Amino acid sequence: MSRSIGHNAVMNVVLVASNTLATMITVPYVSRVLTVEGNGAVSFAQSTAIWFQVFCVVGIASYGIRECARVRDNREKLSILTLELLEIISVCTALSLIAFALSILFIPAFRANGLLMWVFLINTLVSAFGVEWFYQATEDFNYIVIRSVIIKILSVILIVLLVRKSEDYVIYGILLAFGTCANNVFNIIRLTRLIHLPKDFRLSDLHPSRHLKTLSYFTVMNIATSMYLSFDTILLSVLSPGNYQTGLYQLAAKLKSFILMAITAIVNVITPRMSYLTRDGESGEYISLLKQSFSFLFTLSLAICAYMIVFARPVVILISSDQFIDAVPSVRIAGLVVFVVSLSNILGPLILIPNNREKTFSIACLASMPVSLLLNLVLDGHYGAVGASIAILCTECVSFFIQAWACRKELKKDISVREISKSIIACAVAVLASILQLNFLPSDSSIITLLESIPIFGLTWVVMLILLKEPSMRLTTNKITQTHPRHSK
């Protein structure tokens, strides 16, 4: 029996909190110890590996969550499905890693960062068989969180102990790969104890070909997404001299990825349940959960976007020092990307995929790929990190608008413009209060500025949401009230 969404959400809060703490320690530390170029080299190798990894799992990360969630109540069917998907991964991983190895040997930009590339090739191999999708589909969030927190703590300790000078960027890359590999090794070991096959099972009972037609849409979706998400870093490294602009951009990209990781953690809690609820068609519980999810994610991501735009400068200085000050424009654009991607995470994973409309989702991702390639080719060489940031924002907007058009009936039926306006008004008032803070309470200390922003921006935003009776805030306050009831005398 799967655990409740409330319990899973709490566990993901713990996961996000641990990732937040780890990021607050490692990013400022590494940004100060390593050069901008060193950070850029690690980011280049990591982005390249992520791109090749997509060809290893060919969409199974998304497809596996939906299909495993639908049969999770039948352990034998779940086990057979898992083995069939792993068989597909094995073939694709072999082909992908051969291509990766040849690229390292013959492409000059890859060969120049050869050691890091080989490290992340090994990381790609282990990650391909990490079966995180299995644990998400079965809503085994206790295991996911405990495992991740322990490894995250160990990784942070090793980074602080071993990355001590600017030449240690290779060690930093190795430790990043170690964190991912360790998580996946534990996943693989644990999976062997969770597989329960029928007594008369034979290998001939596996039929991976039955997944290929539907999986092809997920493959197109993931390959297209990975390509346009990696175009920015890879083309920026190729078109801009040195790794300086890549180093600036990777700071904004890390902030964006860190925040989206928190948003994705929320979506990951909801996605398996949405797929489970739609296995026999839409239900009233599905629609109710969709409304709550949209309200919460829209309100939260809009506030994060506004905060990043207003306080980009002190945030950059605090986490990376003055040498990264040129990254401020990219961080502001990253705030807009966070908002757009958060909305796309509602339309794709929560509406299109649970309702077997992955073909539409794949079209949206595929249409975004040439936009990303063209804009990065045009902008990266002239505008560096800012050009790459503009390219990814425009790319994500294209994907979002296609998905929004495909989901227009659901949005019109289930989403209230009046309720959305409450979130916008609350955020606008919080931004106004923050602008007044920056003008009337100026400070040379980025720490003081950000500490002042917590009550000014944060408290203003929360109070306005309460006064306007915004749905997600109203639901939150109701749950708090129910959790802590007043005792009658």
Side-chain angles (χ1 to χ4, degrees), residues 131-148:
V131 294
E132 190 78 357
W133 40 270
F134 176 90
Y135 297 102
Q136 291 175 356
T138 54
E139 299 189 55
D140 195 357
F141 290 103
N142 277 356
Y143 162 72
I144 292 173
V145 172
I146 293 171
R147 177 213 66 200
S148 299

Side-chain angles (χ1 to χ4, degrees), residues 400-412:
F400 166 72
F401 285 125
I402 293 174
Q403 292 178 62
W405 177 255
C407 298
R408 62 190 182 279
K409 292 182 180 178
E410 290 87 350
L411 295 175
K412 185 177 180 180

Side-chain angles (χ1 to χ4, degrees), residues 30 33 36 49 67 86 98 119 152 226 253 275 278 299 339 350 355 368 370 385 406 411 421 439 458 462 474 489:
V30 170
V33 173
V36 177
E67 297 303 309
L86 285 173
I98 290 172
V119 167
K152 183 69 68 176
S226 177
S275 297
T278 56
T299 303
F339 178 62
L350 302 187
N355 289 287
S368 303
L411 295 175
S421 66
N439 281 277
V462 170
R474 187 170 64 242
K489 294 183 179 179

Side-chain angles (χ1 to χ4, degrees), residues 443-461:
S443 174
D444 294 331
S445 171
S446 58
I447 297 178
I448 293 175
T449 299
L450 295 176
L451 287 175
E452 291 174 345
S453 73
I454 295 174
I456 294 176
F457 182 95
L459 190 59
T460 302
W461 177 63

Side-chain angles (χ1 to χ4, degrees), residues 8 31 70 79 90 175 181 205 209 215 248 262 317 404 410 450:
N8 293 341
S31 297
R70 289 176 173 176
S79 299
S90 298
L175 293 176
C181 286
D205 294 333
S209 59
L215 188 57
L248 295 177
I317 294 174
E410 290 87 350
L450 295 176

Side-chain angles (χ1 to χ4, degrees), residues 144-164:
I144 292 173
V145 172
I146 293 171
R147 177 213 66 200
S148 299
V149 169
I150 292 174
I151 293 174
K152 183 69 68 176
I153 292 172
L154 181 59
S155 296
V156 170
I157 292 173
L158 290 175
I159 287 173
V160 172
L161 290 177
L162 300 180
V163 180
R164 307 303 298 269

